[in-house]
Amino acid sequence: SYVLLVSMVTIPTYRFLHFKMPWLAMLKYAAIGLAMYAVIAVVEFANPLVELSADLGLGLLFYAALVASTDGKVLENVKASLNRGE
């Protein structure tokens, strides 16, 4: 929904505000978000609170893993943060 909102605002205002939109990066993050949704949609528990907790945890881990594995800058920042802790 955020990608749609940004697209709807960016396209009409382009003639006033000239900046480049990283459309390919936005498409990549939207695809990762859809993949995350597909993964957490499969998770079902009888207790709604347990299901919500599982969806949040699984979604966070899945999204973070995909972003770190597909975005070189994010991976470098994660590695640098981990190395600072040593």
Side-chain angles (χ1 to χ4, degrees):
S1 65
Y2 182 72
V3 173
L4 180 63
L5 175 66
V6 169
S7 301
M8 289 173 54
V9 170
T10 302
I11 293 170
T13 60
Y14 183 73
R15 56 187 174 159
F16 305 111
L17 304 171
H18 298 287
F19 57 91
K20 292 184 179 181
M21 284 300 297
W23 293 109
L24 189 58
M26 288 177 60
L27 181 63
K28 176 177 67 174
Y29 291 119
I32 291 172
L34 287 173
M36 179 195 68
Y37 176 76
V39 168
I40 65 172
V42 178
V43 176
E44 291 185 13
F45 290 98
N47 185 336
L49 186 59
V50 173
E51 184 172 346
L52 177 63
S53 299
D55 286 349
L56 288 172
L58 182 61
L60 175 68
L61 290 174
F62 188 80
Y63 190 85
L66 281 181
V67 168
S69 66
T70 59
D71 194 330
K73 288 181 183 179
V74 171
L75 187 57
E76 288 175 16
N77 289 337
V78 168
K79 286 180 181 178
S81 296
L82 292 175
N83 288 336
R84 275 188 236 143
E86 294 178 359

